[in-house]
Amino acid sequence: MKRRDFTSLLTLSTIGLSMTTLKELSNWGTTLQSSQRIPSLFLGHGNPMNAIEENQFVDGFRNIAKTLPEIQAILVVSAHWLTRGTAVTAMAQPRTIHDFGGFPQALFEQQYPAPGSPELAKEIIQMISATAVHEDHEWGLDHGTWTVLKHLYPAANIPVVQFSIDVQLSLAAHFQLAKELNALRSKGVLIIGSGNIVHNLRAVDFSRINEVGFGYDWAHESRKYVNDQILSRNFSALFSLEKAPKALQMAVPTTDHYIPLLYTLGLAENTDEIALFNDELLAGSLSMTSLKIG
């Protein structure tokens, strides 16, 4: 695999959904009921090839799905939808976006034909007060979303909505914004942050791309530092990268893949258990660390 495998070259394809399925889902917004509090997840999504390859990480996704209660919808904050201002997908049929280049044709042929939920999008817009949120009818499900949902919910029959990352907000503001979404956990909605904590593509050793456990010293240090803050619930230590250890600044040269973690952490309540899984480094400068809250 070459460096260009990780270059974002937006390639879009549309998907279909039967009219029968749409009719069945049309009343979802009005039948949304209170539920037990749904856990929330942060998923290290890694290489898009995880969508079609078998490895310990996709096993981890499947295993964590077995621990989840029945859900009514999914909301994903993906590292791959960056905007100015905040948006939420509001179409009935989100397309599967192949936002990468240089991969085998088999990956581009993958589709995740889950329905969307205009009703859930409207509810999210109404519940957020910290910032204006607008409906989006152009995006869809990018690979930060569908490559992991393919393993968690392979039937693709649960409505999925994406929530964008406003690049103008501070890390602390993203964390606080997540708190306004917390009520959805009691309405049957699984909220997922999808990114990678250690994510320095310039430092990737492509000759060791699939070597589990291989990481540079600064990657190991960053992994431990972030994990320690998470498990001790010292979340605020993760808001200021300029004050963080130099190692973490190497691990997070840009915040796109890091911010989804803060959304998951912002959903945590004092009574929620926090568990790590898929907690491994790859290729020197990438991590697959994931966590379940609740």
Side-chain angles (χ1 to χ4, degrees), residues 53 65 86 111 120 137 150 200 217 231 261:
E53 291 182 341
T86 303
Q111 298 292 319
L120 177 57
H137 296 273
K150 181 178 181 292
N200 188 328
D217 289 345
L231 296 177
L261 169 68

Side-chain angles (χ1 to χ4, degrees), residues 81-156:
W81 192 21
L82 306 177
T83 56
R84 290 189 176 276
T86 303
V88 60
T89 56
M91 68 287 287
Q93 298 176 247
R95 56 189 174 187
T96 303
I97 304 175
H98 300 86
D99 49 336
F100 41 69
F103 289 94
Q105 182 60 30
L107 185 58
F108 289 93
E109 293 172 355
Q110 293 293 305
Q111 298 292 319
Y112 191 76
S117 176
E119 297 86 358
L120 177 57
K122 286 180 170 58
E123 181 163 352
I124 290 169
I125 290 170
Q126 292 174 357
M127 69 193 306
I128 296 294
S129 61
T131 188
V133 182
H134 68 270
E135 292 186 7
D136 177 272
H137 296 273
E138 301 297 328
W139 192 245
L141 306 181
D142 59 56
H143 82 266
T145 295
W146 66 265
T147 63
V148 291
L149 291 186
K150 181 178 181 292
H151 300 297
L152 271 68
Y153 298 100

